[in-house]
Structures are given as C-alpha cells and as structure tokens.
Amino acid sequence: MTGRGQVSAGDLLELVRSGRATTRGALQQVTGLSRATVGQRLDRLFRAGWLREGAGGPVDSPLGGRPSITLEFDDAHAVVLAADLDTRHARAAVLTLTGEILAEHGGTLVVEDGPETVLGELGRWFAELLEKAGHRADEVCGIGLAVPGPVDSETGRVVQPPIMPGWDGYDIRGRLARSFREHTGAGSVPVLVDNDANLMAYGEQRVGYPDCSAFMLVKVSTGIGAGVVVGGTVYRGVDGGAGDIGHIRVGAEALCRCGSYGCLAAVASGGAVARRLAEAGVPAASGSDVRDLLTAGHPEALGLAREAGRQVGDVLATVVTLLNPGVLMIAGDLAGTAFLTGVRELLYQRALPRSTAHLEVVTSRLGERAGLVGAGAMVVEHLYAPERAEQRLAALGV
C-alpha cells in the first residue's frame, strides 16, 4: 500500500487475512481511508464471497458501546487442488483455502513415464477426489503441483531435472490444466508449479514455525534438495535453482544421475543408500525401500543411513554458516533417527558455534502432507495477493 487512493479492495483483504486489521475501524485506522470508502471496497469482497462477518470483537471505546464486528476470510467459497510428485509415488488432495485437507489419495505414479502420462493421470485423480470431497469442479480456484526438480517460477517449467527424464522445458501448466478439463468438464483454472523441497519448506514453516524468519528444509529421498523460506517467502534464486544442494561436489567419485561425479546425492541420497544395500544383497531399489528397511530396524540400512547423514551434515555445516537459519528441518525417506544423528554429528562439529547457537534441528511435522499443504498455500497466496485479487474481482464484475 502507498497512498490512500491506491489502497484497493485487495489490500483490505490482505490486511484481514494477515490479521493486521480485522474490523472496519481498524481498516480505517491502518489505511487512512474514510468509513464510506472502506465500506465500498469491503462490499466488493462480500459480493465476491471472499469475506464474512464473524463474532463481535472487543469494545474499542473505554466508554463502552456495541462491540466491533470482526471480518474474516471466508474459506468456504472455493477449494484448491494440490499434488506432490516423487519419482515413483504421488499424492493428491482437495484442500480448503486455509489448508485443511478434505480428501486425499496416494499411489504409484512413475515420473519416468513422462509428463503426458503422469499429468493425465493426475487429472483423473483430481476428478475422483472432488467427488469424494463433495465439491464441484467449478469450485476449484487453482491447482498447485510440487515436482522433484528445479523449476523456473516464471514459466512453471522444470529446468534440466536430473531425476525427471523427458520433463525438461515441458509445458506442465498447460498439460495439467487440460487434463483437469478433460476429466471434469470444468473451465480453465490457473496451475502453479514449484520444486517439492520449496513447497515442503513453505508448508512446514507456515504451519509449525510461522515466526521463524529464516527456515530451511532438506529433503533426502531419491535425490537431495533444500527449500529455504526467508521472511515468509520462498527463496528461489534468479531462475529457481536455489537449494539444489544434492549436486554440491563432496570429493567422492560416484557417478550422479546428473552426469557429474562426486555429487552429494550420488553418495548420500536414498537412491545411493538403496544402491549400496542392493550391492550387499539387501533388496532395495529406491528411497522408499530404504525407508521401509529403516522402519523395520534393519541394521545395515541404519548404519548406511547414519553414514549418509554425516555426509549431508558436512555439507550443511557450510550452508548453515552461510544462511544462519533458525530451524533446519530434515524430511524425506531417510529422515529418521539414524540419519538425523549423523547430520548432527558433523553439523555441530564443523559449523561455527555462532551459526548453531540458536539453531533447531528437527524432523518433519506434516510428514507426507507437507508438499500438499505448501502447494495449496502457494496457490492461495498467489490468487489472493492484492494485485491479483483486484484483477479477479474485476473479472467477476464486482
């Protein structure tokens, strides 16, 4: 917001959603707008179904009087669809605008089968989930998708993804929107795409650590990636490449799927641990297989997971010194006690005490739902940001 005349209905919505101003009087005070102008702009939001009146708030005047009526974001006027792709598995859900999961489904979906097949199947999942949740397709305001590769946030296309063959530069937004239309008969809806670690970090930070100004999540599954949330916003770098710590060279000679030698992911990811177990005669082909072995307490898997944790912790000592986060969250298939123990061993040994004095090293709170919650939140924050909200209100004719 700048001058009074430039404070839009979208700006008022942002103030209500953030909790900074939740009564008409508070909106007047924060914006400097007149009572009539606030009323006119709020009326647009009421007509769109985006706001509702809540219970009476505290009486503002020391002389008493009627309590102020509070304003609330009405999360019942639309729903969001979200999906989280891993290399061999995916999850999809219908969510409210405030992040509550209404229906979800998880199943096998192999990313190597290519975008046409995978995104086509997601459209079918979405149609079934909407029916399960009791919502119509025309109630969907947007779709969010988390993918295991670097994403150019401007185009929604993955850029040279090491573990997503056939996806480089593909029009994911267009194909998923088309698949949704084909399976539901609905009109066009916006589709947003981001890296899975970014969206997991966003979901976890918003739900569990909203006051943490520098939050970092490291996902260790088939590959290794990190998401960083600074000041409540995902840090993506200039073209979506931030957080790709799995391809930091660690000096080993193992061949990585990206084509280089010695990447961290080549020696410490779930895929790397699975390969070493398979070489030792233990059936394991992926990070999810390793997770199952760790859950069962398999001794060799536990030992290799701890060793992988130490290798990741060695890299994170540098990352933590650079970023100085308040929370470092370990998530993904290997995120158990053995791996976390290894991370802590090397991290606290190598990082400067100043960098770790106020650092919490934790594991995921949302578990397999983190990417879904983050993808849903990404859609809502995009669609209801002041400028975008103003455009949508105009399109609705209110």
Side-chain angles (χ1 to χ4, degrees):
M1 293 184 297
T2 52
R4 292 184 185 181
Q6 295 173 301
V7 179
S8 68
D11 289 316
L12 298 189
L13 179 66
E14 178 72 13
L15 289 169
V16 173
R17 289 184 61 234
S18 67
R20 290 171 56 199
T22 57
T23 65
R24 289 169 174 82
L27 289 169
Q28 289 175 240
Q29 188 173 18
V30 170
T31 63
L33 296 176
S34 69
R35 181 177 179 179
T37 302
V38 167
Q40 290 167 358
R41 293 180 187 174
L42 287 179
D43 183 58
R44 297 178 66 201
L45 298 172
F46 281 115
R47 282 187 284 145
W50 296 1
L51 279 188
R52 65 187 172 208
E53 291 186 341
V59 177
D60 294 331
S61 170
L63 300 177
R66 299 175 64 182
S68 301
I69 299 298
T70 59
L71 303 170
E72 300 174 349
F73 180 58
D74 189 343
D75 69 341
H77 70 271
V79 293
V80 174
L81 296 174
D84 184 6
L85 293 181
D86 209 332
T87 52
R88 305 190 63 81
H89 187 270
R91 301 188 75 82
V94 182
L95 300 93
T96 68
L97 299 181
T98 48
E100 177 189 354
I101 293 180
L102 302 175
E104 67 180 309
H105 172 72
T108 300
L109 208 54
V110 181
V111 77
E112 288 187 356
D113 288 344
E116 281 287 329
T117 299
V118 170
L119 299 176
E121 183 68 0
L122 278 182
R124 185 179 69 80
W125 285 15
F126 285 149
E128 294 174 353
L129 283 168
L130 284 168
E131 184 175 351
K132 181 179 177 181
H135 282 274
R136 304 184 312 274
D138 62 6
E139 295 178 87
V140 176
C141 65
I143 299 173
L145 178 65
V147 297
V151 176
D152 182 334
S153 59
E154 291 297 317
T155 65
R157 299 175 187 241
V158 291
V159 183
Q160 299 177 356
I163 58 176
M164 299 179 71
W167 291 71
D168 185 23
Y170 185 84
D171 181 17
I172 296 174
R173 289 176 179 172
R175 177 67 180 103
L176 187 52
R178 188 170 74 252
S179 177
F180 176 69
R181 292 195 303 271
E182 290 169 352
H183 287 281
T184 65
S188 181
V189 297
V191 176
L192 300 179
V193 186
D194 204 347
N195 169 261
D196 55 357
N198 283 348
L199 293 180
M200 290 173 68
Y202 193 45
E204 295 276 10
Q205 188 270 339
R206 286 171 61 92
V207 171
Y209 302 89
D211 297 326
C212 180
S213 60
F215 177 95
M216 181 176 183
L217 177 143
V218 178
K219 179 187 179 185
V220 187
S221 290
T222 299
I224 301 176
V228 179
V229 181
V230 178
T233 301
V234 176
Y235 178 74
R236 297 182 174 87
V238 295
D239 61 3
D244 204 1
I245 65 170
H247 300 286
I248 293 175
R249 184 172 174 81
V250 294
E253 291 305 316
L255 176 63
C256 182
R257 294 182 67 170
C258 74
S260 297
Y261 286 89
C263 293
L264 179 65
V267 295
S269 65
V273 172
R275 185 177 63 252
R276 291 184 64 181
L277 287 169
E279 290 170 353
V282 180
S286 66
S288 59
D289 292 336
V290 177
R291 179 189 60 207
D292 294 341
L293 290 167
L294 293 174
T295 301
H298 190 283
E300 191 156 3
L302 290 169
L304 289 174
R306 182 165 180 170
E307 181 183 338
R310 287 171 58 85
Q311 291 168 311
V312 172
D314 196 12
V315 169
L316 288 178
T318 300
V319 175
V320 164
T321 300
L322 177 66
L323 295 179
N324 190 210
V327 175
L328 170 62
M329 179 175 284
I330 307 298
D333 292 330
L334 297 194
T337 301
F339 185 85
L340 195 63
T341 298
V343 168
R344 285 179 167 145
E345 284 179 18
L346 265 289
L347 174 61
Y348 287 106
Q349 178 183 327
R350 300 287 172 84
L352 291 172
R354 174 71 182 81
S355 301
T356 58
H358 302 288
L359 176 68
E360 290 185 65
V361 182
V362 299
T363 53
S364 171
R365 290 190 176 191
L366 297 176
E368 293 183 331
R369 290 179 163 181
L372 296 175
V373 172
M378 169 181 64
V379 171
V380 173
E381 292 306 314
H382 173 76
L383 292 179
Y384 295 92
E387 185 176 346
R388 177 72 61 174
E390 200 62 28
Q391 294 170 357
R392 294 177 65 217
L393 287 170
L396 289 171
V398 299

